[in-house]
Amino acid sequence: MQFKSNDGFTINLETSSAGGPQRRVRAFHTRHRNRHDRGLRGELLLPALPGSLTRAEKFTELLMDSAERLSELWGAALGSVEFAVEDIPVSLERLAGTGERVPMALFRGASAEAPAVITLYRRPIEQLADTPDELGEIIHEVVIEQVAGLLNLSPDAVDPAYRRFRRY
């Protein structure tokens, strides 16, 4: 079906058959508009730069740094301990309703079928820190406290640098 306007404009609504001209479909990156010949837009920050990490990824890296430091000090005693990160405690609503203090971490001792696990709660710890440096210090102190509870030692015995930074 074809429509012809008075201006000499023709519209063809027929689908092309096998013998008719075929329209070539372009890939997305070639269809994308490239204004002013500046190239296609890419990532704002390269993945290797620190600014490209999310808050959760930065928190996990700080936790890994702290765990590595303690594993250098304690070696085999922390060999089977696993570290985990959760956003908030499961019982947060109940704790907030009763006015109890929200925990920053929790440790579970090893059993026959599961290793010991230290779980840090990211959001309560992040709310205590004013700067990224303070966040790293708070994470390290929380990990020291949990490892001390797990090993039945005082936190000062676990790491001599304990309480170097204490604001909470």
Side-chain angles (χ1 to χ4, degrees):
M1 180 181 288
Q2 272 191 346
F3 294 102
K4 204 172 224 183
S5 71
N6 294 338
D7 301 333
F9 185 74
T10 306
I11 298 175
N12 186 4
L13 296 178
E14 294 178 6
T15 58
S16 62
S17 61
Q22 295 290 328
R23 181 177 162 178
R24 193 174 73 115
V25 178
R26 294 181 293 171
F28 175 75
H29 60 85
T30 57
R31 284 185 291 166
H32 193 284
R33 188 172 176 186
N34 182 7
R35 292 181 66 171
H36 308 291
D37 292 326
R38 292 186 183 150
L40 300 176
R41 292 187 179 198
E43 297 178 14
L44 294 177
L45 289 173
L46 297 175
L49 296 176
S52 67
L53 299 176
T54 64
R55 286 191 312 226
E57 291 170 339
K58 289 177 188 177
F59 189 92
T60 304
E61 282 191 1
L62 290 171
L63 173 61
M64 290 188 323
D65 291 344
S66 178
E68 287 173 7
R69 174 171 162 69
L70 290 179
S71 68
E72 289 173 4
L73 294 173
W74 285 92
L78 296 179
S80 64
V81 175
E82 294 181 359
F83 293 88
V85 176
E86 289 186 15
D87 283 339
I88 58 172
V90 176
S91 60
L92 182 64
E93 290 181 8
R94 182 187 56 81
L95 292 171
T98 59
E100 294 180 43
R101 188 173 177 192
V102 176
M104 292 184 281
L106 175 73
F107 73 87
R108 186 187 67 208
S111 63
E113 58 273 349
V117 177
I118 296 176
T119 304
L120 271 69
Y121 299 116
R122 183 175 66 87
R123 295 301 305 239
I125 294 174
E126 283 180 341
Q127 288 179 351
L128 287 175
D130 292 332
T131 65
D133 294 334
E134 286 181 6
L135 180 63
E137 294 289 335
I138 292 171
I139 289 172
H140 187 63
E141 287 195 6
V142 169
V143 170
I144 290 171
E145 291 169 358
Q146 297 303 311
V147 168
L150 191 66
L151 298 177
N152 245 357
L153 298 170
S154 70
D156 294 323
V158 173
D159 190 355
Y162 180 68
R163 289 199 180 189
R164 180 178 44 168
F165 172 79
R166 183 83 168 179
R167 189 177 64 84
Y168 56 97

